[in-house]
Amino acid sequence: MRWNLIVLASCLATAGCVGNSTSERQDDNVQSSLRYDAVPCDELLAQRDGLAQQYNLSTQVKPTFSNPAMGFGPFTPDMRSQRQRDIDRATGEIDAMNRSINRRDCDKPDEQKKFVLPG
């Protein structure tokens, strides 16, 4: 009976971390690139470059994920500073913008996009 109470108490303590765990918050940083498909290419490139400059990041940055030991990710509280959370969020936005830019060939010069008939 005593072990049951100890296990129950530890489960309730770790359940309080749900919603504030490292893995959940890191997953939120990954964003869909589809929302940027409606933005004109030149504006999207300017947004990406401005965001990268604001947080002193590369324009080709990718989101990173911590590797918690043995599946404790959902129970590990997010101990990152607010600045690091903002940087990670910006990293996810830049990556989503890059996927939209690459899919639409926004980073290619206009001359290469034009279709020209031979002859």
Side-chain angles (χ1 to χ4, degrees), residues 76-87:
T76 306
D78 191 2
M79 303 292 280
R80 297 174 297 160
S81 66
Q82 184 61 42
R83 171 88 175 138
Q84 187 60 45
R85 288 180 193 164
D86 290 343
I87 289 172

Side-chain angles (χ1 to χ4, degrees), residues 14-15 63 70 84 89 93:
T14 57
M70 300 187 336
Q84 187 60 45
R89 181 192 46 77
E93 286 182 32

